Amino acid sequence: MAQLEQFTTPVDAVISRMRALDAALPARDGVAVFNRVYLAVTEEVDRCVDAGGFPDARAAITLDVRFAERYLAAVDADARGRRPPACWRPLLLFRRHPGVRPLQFALAGINAHIGHDLALAVVDACRSLGCAPVELEDEYDRVGDLLVALEERIREEVMPGPDLLQIADPLTHLLGSWSLERARDAAWSAARALWALRGLPDVAGEFTERLDAAVGFAGRMLLTPLPD
């Protein structure tokens, strides 16, 4: 148990940072909307680790922390006046737009975090652990199951009622234009490609930039302001 505890501290640290954001941001702020649901799933990962729910607790914690750090770094960069990754810029730019619904903010955050950050977090974790992505596949799949729970939580907490969805055709269209399952599969493929390109830093850098830009473009579409 002592060995497990030494690895749970970083998870506690990222949870503390997310809780601090939750306390500091207005509830309607777009980052706050995403942060609340992401905090819930990170707390669930922490509980799952404590309960022995991962085949390799050390690998799961490393992946979870590297993943969360990329989101927190983007928010911190924006707060300090630095340029965050392209995938996060739409949410950070439109976070207070009155025409964007909470559900859109949540989906844009998931899009940025899974579409871009997850692939890079897998590579980060592999470098930290000295392993290849295939050795993290079980942990990746388990974290992926928890991300599905995140999407379900978002739909429960910020989804408009059925009457509004019938009226708001643009929002209904946006809901059908993005798939967590497809994004998760694409992130795994991107992680494997980046790992294979690790000996070609110029090519890997170009691949990462294009991935970042593409995810940012999708995020901008998800945040299209909608009429009341």
Coordinates of all heavy atoms in Angstrom, one line a residue, residues 28 97-102 104 160 163-171 224-228:
R28 N -20.9 30.1 -15.0 CA -21.3 30.1 -16.4 C -20.1 30.2 -17.3 O -20.2 30.1 -18.5 CB -22.2 31.3 -16.6 CG -22.8 31.4 -18.0 CD -23.7 30.2 -18.4 NE -24.3 30.4 -19.7 CZ -23.7 30.3 -20.9 NH1 -22.4 30.0 -20.9 NH2 -24.4 30.4 -22.0
H97 N -19.0 34.0 -23.9 CA -20.0 34.4 -25.0 C -21.4 34.1 -24.6 O -21.7 32.9 -24.3 CB -19.6 33.8 -26.3 CG -20.2 34.4 -27.5 ND1 -21.6 34.4 -27.7 CD2 -19.7 35.1 -28.6 CE1 -21.9 35.1 -28.8 NE2 -20.7 35.5 -29.4
P98 N -22.3 35.0 -24.6 CA -23.7 34.7 -24.1 C -24.5 33.8 -25.0 O -25.5 33.2 -24.6 CB -24.3 36.1 -24.0 CG -23.5 37.0 -25.0 CD -22.1 36.5 -24.9
G99 N -24.0 33.7 -26.3 CA -24.8 32.9 -27.3 C -24.3 31.4 -27.3 O -24.8 30.7 -28.1
V100 N -23.3 31.1 -26.5 CA -22.8 29.7 -26.5 C -23.4 29.0 -25.2 O -23.4 29.5 -24.1 CB -21.3 29.7 -26.4 CG1 -20.8 28.2 -26.4 CG2 -20.7 30.4 -27.6
R101 N -24.0 27.8 -25.5 CA -24.7 27.0 -24.4 C -23.6 26.3 -23.6 O -22.6 25.9 -24.1 CB -25.7 26.1 -25.0 CG -26.6 26.7 -26.0 CD -27.7 27.5 -25.3 NE -28.6 28.1 -26.4 CZ -29.5 27.5 -27.1 NH1 -29.7 26.2 -26.9 NH2 -30.2 28.2 -27.9
P102 N -24.0 26.0 -22.3 CA -23.1 25.2 -21.5 C -22.7 23.8 -22.1 O -21.5 23.4 -22.0 CB -23.9 25.0 -20.2 CG -24.7 26.2 -20.1 CD -25.1 26.5 -21.5
Q104 N -22.2 23.2 -25.2 CA -21.2 23.5 -26.2 C -19.8 23.7 -25.6 O -18.8 23.2 -26.1 CB -21.6 24.7 -27.0 CG -22.8 24.5 -27.9 CD -23.2 25.8 -28.6 OE1 -24.1 26.6 -28.1 NE2 -22.5 26.2 -29.7
P160 N -29.9 20.4 -22.5 CA -31.2 21.0 -22.4 C -32.3 19.9 -22.3 O -32.0 18.7 -22.7 CB -31.3 21.8 -23.7 CG -29.9 21.9 -24.2 CD -29.2 20.6 -23.7
D163 N -37.7 19.2 -24.9 CA -38.5 20.2 -25.6 C -37.6 21.2 -26.3 O -37.8 21.6 -27.5 CB -39.5 20.9 -24.7 CG -40.6 20.0 -24.1 OD1 -40.8 18.9 -24.8 OD2 -41.2 20.3 -23.1
L164 N -36.5 21.6 -25.6 CA -35.6 22.6 -26.2 C -34.9 22.0 -27.3 O -34.6 22.6 -28.4 CB -34.7 23.1 -25.1 CG -33.6 24.1 -25.6 CD1 -34.3 25.4 -26.2 CD2 -32.7 24.6 -24.4
L165 N -34.5 20.7 -27.2 CA -33.7 20.1 -28.2 C -34.6 20.0 -29.5 O -34.1 20.0 -30.6 CB -33.3 18.7 -27.8 CG -32.0 18.6 -26.9 CD1 -31.7 17.2 -26.6 CD2 -30.8 19.2 -27.7
Q166 N -35.9 19.7 -29.4 CA -36.7 19.7 -30.5 C -36.8 21.0 -31.3 O -36.9 21.1 -32.5 CB -38.1 19.2 -30.1 CG -38.1 17.7 -29.6 CD -39.5 17.4 -29.0 OE1 -40.5 18.1 -29.1 NE2 -39.6 16.2 -28.4
I167 N -36.7 22.1 -30.5 CA -36.8 23.4 -31.1 C -35.5 23.8 -31.6 O -35.4 24.4 -32.7 CB -37.3 24.4 -30.0 CG1 -38.7 24.0 -29.6 CG2 -37.3 25.8 -30.6 CD1 -39.2 24.8 -28.4
A168 N -34.4 23.6 -30.9 CA -33.1 24.1 -31.2 C -32.4 23.2 -32.2 O -31.5 22.4 -31.9 CB -32.2 24.3 -30.0
D169 N -32.8 23.2 -33.5 CA -32.2 22.3 -34.5 C -30.7 22.5 -34.6 O -30.0 21.6 -34.8 CB -32.9 22.6 -35.8 CG -34.3 22.0 -35.9 OD1 -34.6 21.1 -35.0 OD2 -35.1 22.4 -36.7
P170 N -30.1 23.8 -34.5 CA -28.7 23.9 -34.6 C -27.9 23.2 -33.5 O -26.9 22.5 -33.7 CB -28.5 25.4 -34.5 CG -29.7 26.0 -35.0 CD -30.8 25.1 -34.5
L171 N -28.5 23.2 -32.3 CA -27.8 22.5 -31.2 C -27.9 21.0 -31.4 O -27.0 20.2 -31.2 CB -28.5 22.9 -29.9 CG -27.9 22.2 -28.6 CD1 -26.4 22.5 -28.5 CD2 -28.6 22.7 -27.4
T224 N -20.1 27.5 -32.1 CA -20.9 28.5 -32.9 C -22.0 29.0 -32.1 O -22.8 28.2 -31.5 CB -21.5 27.8 -34.1 OG1 -20.4 27.2 -35.0 CG2 -22.3 28.7 -35.0
P225 N -22.1 30.3 -31.9 CA -23.2 30.9 -31.1 C -24.5 30.6 -31.7 O -24.7 30.6 -32.9 CB -22.9 32.4 -31.1 CG -21.4 32.5 -31.4 CD -21.1 31.4 -32.3
L226 N -25.5 30.2 -30.8 CA -26.8 29.8 -31.3 C -27.8 30.8 -30.8 O -27.7 31.4 -29.7 CB -27.1 28.4 -30.7 CG -26.2 27.3 -31.1 CD1 -26.6 26.0 -30.4 CD2 -26.1 27.1 -32.6
P227 N -28.9 31.0 -31.6 CA -30.0 31.9 -31.1 C -30.7 31.3 -29.9 O -30.8 30.1 -29.7 CB -30.9 31.9 -32.3 CG -30.6 30.6 -33.1 CD -29.2 30.3 -32.8
D228 N -31.3 32.2 -29.1 CA -32.1 31.7 -28.0 C -33.4 31.0 -28.4 O -33.9 31.3 -29.4 CB -32.5 32.9 -27.1 CG -31.2 33.5 -26.4 OD1 -30.3 32.7 -26.2 OD2 -31.2 34.7 -26.1

